[in-house]
Amino acid sequence: MNRSDQGLQLDDGTAFHERMWRLRRVGRLGMLLFILLGVAGLMGRGPLSRAEVRDARGLRIVHERFARVEAPQTIRAQIPAPPAGAYQLAVSRDFLDRVRIESVVPEPVLAEARADRVIYGFARGPGPDPAVVTFHFTPNSAGLVRAGFGVPGLAPLTIRMLVYP
Amino acid sequence: MDSVLRAAAMYLVLLVVFRIVGKRTLSQITPFDMVLLLIIAESTQQALVGPDFSIVNAVLVIVTLVTIDIGLSWWRHRSRRVEKILDDMPLVLVDRGRPLQSRLDRERVDASDILEAARLQQGLERMDQIKYAVLETNGEISIIPWRAEPSPDRGSAPAGEVVGG
């Protein structure tokens, strides 16, 4: 509406403001939803993000479904005791090329590089207990990261992680 | 490329967020709002440069932001529609002495805000001395007081004369 009567020459755009108020209301609801999803873990670290895969042999991988670039992450692997020798865990190159490994706890005694994976060896203590190994890493780039974790010689468990920019 | 995309993304996010927040919030800077703006600036800075603290990266980010700003400024000048979307439009809050309550509610403006502007700008004392109050695009409220209307026989009334109240 162009108000030229009574001296006020102004186009205050009533229809425009109605539209903007509606959009602003939707925007505020969107922001609230974004916060709730963040708390729930859809942006990383939360109930929606936590995931676990395991196989019949006792290999168990605990990881986050959602991560963010340059944000610290962990993957925990529970490795069943082998019949003999050190605990071994094969980690796919697809994963290692997309992240920066900060540390591995406990520190591996062996890291054997193959074309498509790296095999980590961990010292074996007394008893048949499974070993728990934690990888502390930082994603380098955004996108879908596929990683294979497995005991050498057997089919690996595959995990998927969406890394946000 | 990464830096350019980061800068463009953060510019867009901030543009959308502050449009959702509303112009009145931007004009009323309380000490807490100042702290909030500083925190937002700090969060934005980390997203803009990431782990790269080189001079070249900083220059790339700055040039990207300034170029986007110039581009939008040019587009704003060429397109009335873009200008309205980016800068909003003035909104009449008091029309011929009558407060428009639904608009006041939607913009989170109180009668006390209008009276404050009236005192500061025009030295007015009461709401009935206000002919028009307009919420400008920068979030400020401009006040137009009642004045003697110019007579077709005698010419303009003396400046500063306020009628009504």
Side-chain angles (χ1 to χ4, degrees):
Chain A
M1 176 177 11
N2 207 334
R3 298 169 182 270
S4 58
D5 57 321
Q6 303 293 330
L8 184 64
Q9 186 177 350
L10 178 72
D11 180 9
D12 73 345
T14 306
F16 171 82
H17 283 294
E18 289 288 343
R19 210 159 37 240
M20 288 307 296
W21 285 324
R22 269 198 303 275
L23 280 174
R24 210 180 286 168
R25 200 160 43 237
V26 170
R28 286 173 185 162
L29 288 173
M31 283 165 62
L32 185 61
L33 184 64
F34 189 75
I35 292 170
L36 291 174
L37 290 176
V39 169
L42 201 68
M43 312 297 162
R45 288 195 194 165
L48 285 181
S49 181
R50 213 159 291 124
E52 182 180 312
V53 293
R54 58 173 75 204
D55 68 9
R57 297 179 303 271
L59 178 63
R60 180 170 157 250
I61 308 294
V62 178
H63 67 100
E64 299 282 336
R65 287 194 187 91
F66 306 105
R68 299 184 294 273
V69 169
E70 297 296 334
Q73 280 291 327
T74 59
I75 286 179
R76 188 164 288 119
Q78 183 174 297
I79 311 168
Y87 291 95
Q88 287 190 318
L89 182 69
V91 181
S92 65
R93 274 272 177 225
D94 292 343
F95 173 73
L96 294 171
D97 289 344
R98 295 286 300 274
V99 304
R100 185 170 64 247
I101 300 291
E102 306 291 351
S103 65
V104 182
V105 179
E107 203 166 316
V109 297
L110 170 75
E112 195 177 305
R114 302 283 176 87
D116 60 345
R117 63 196 188 279
V118 172
I119 299 173
Y120 293 95
F122 303 92
R124 183 173 185 165
D129 296 334
V132 177
V133 176
T134 304
F135 288 82
H136 297 275
F137 64 96
T138 306
N140 283 335
S141 57
L144 187 63
V145 174
R146 284 189 185 81
F149 288 80
V151 173
L154 299 172
L157 291 175
T158 301
I159 67 165
R160 285 179 183 76
M161 185 168 55
L162 179 63
V163 180
Y164 293 110
Chain B
M1 186 181 79
D2 199 42
S3 299
V4 172
L5 292 177
R6 279 171 177 267
M10 288 312 302
Y11 190 103
L12 184 64
V13 166
L14 288 171
L15 189 66
V16 169
V17 167
F18 281 111
R19 286 296 274 121
I20 291 172
V21 156
K23 53 198 172 193
R24 189 67 188 143
T25 304
L26 290 177
S27 76
Q28 291 177 307
I29 301 294
T30 64
F32 180 74
D33 291 330
M34 194 64 112
V35 171
L36 185 62
L37 278 176
L38 288 171
I39 294 171
I40 289 172
E42 185 63 28
S43 304
T44 304
Q45 175 256 322
Q46 294 186 14
L48 282 173
V49 299
D52 186 348
F53 298 118
S54 64
I55 293 174
V56 170
N57 189 47
V59 170
L60 192 53
V61 167
I62 290 166
V63 169
T64 301
L65 291 172
V66 170
T67 303
I68 293 172
D69 202 54
I70 292 171
L72 284 178
S73 181
W74 175 84
W75 198 9
R76 188 194 279 120
H77 183 68
R78 294 285 298 261
S79 168
R80 177 86 179 117
R81 192 169 176 216
V82 170
E83 185 187 6
K84 283 199 284 187
I85 291 169
L86 291 178
D87 294 342
D88 215 329
M89 295 181 72
L91 180 70
V92 175
L93 298 177
V94 174
D95 183 14
R96 298 184 205 95
R98 186 172 56 93
L100 303 175
Q101 194 57 48
S102 66
R103 293 183 173 196
L104 291 172
D105 291 340
R106 293 211 190 193
E107 292 292 342
R108 306 193 306 277
V109 175
D110 299 328
S112 58
D113 296 325
I114 295 176
L115 287 169
E116 180 183 344
R119 287 192 299 272
L120 287 170
Q121 293 176 32
Q122 302 287 345
L124 302 179
E125 296 165 353
R126 298 183 307 278
M127 185 68 81
D128 56 15
Q129 293 174 303
I130 300 170
K131 187 177 180 183
Y132 291 108
V134 179
L135 180 61
E136 304 292 352
T137 57
N138 63 358
E140 298 292 331
I141 298 173
S142 58
I143 301 293
I144 296 134
W146 288 100
R147 295 187 192 280
E149 296 297 333
S151 160
D153 298 326
R154 295 191 293 121
S156 299
E161 180 181 8
V162 176
V163 176

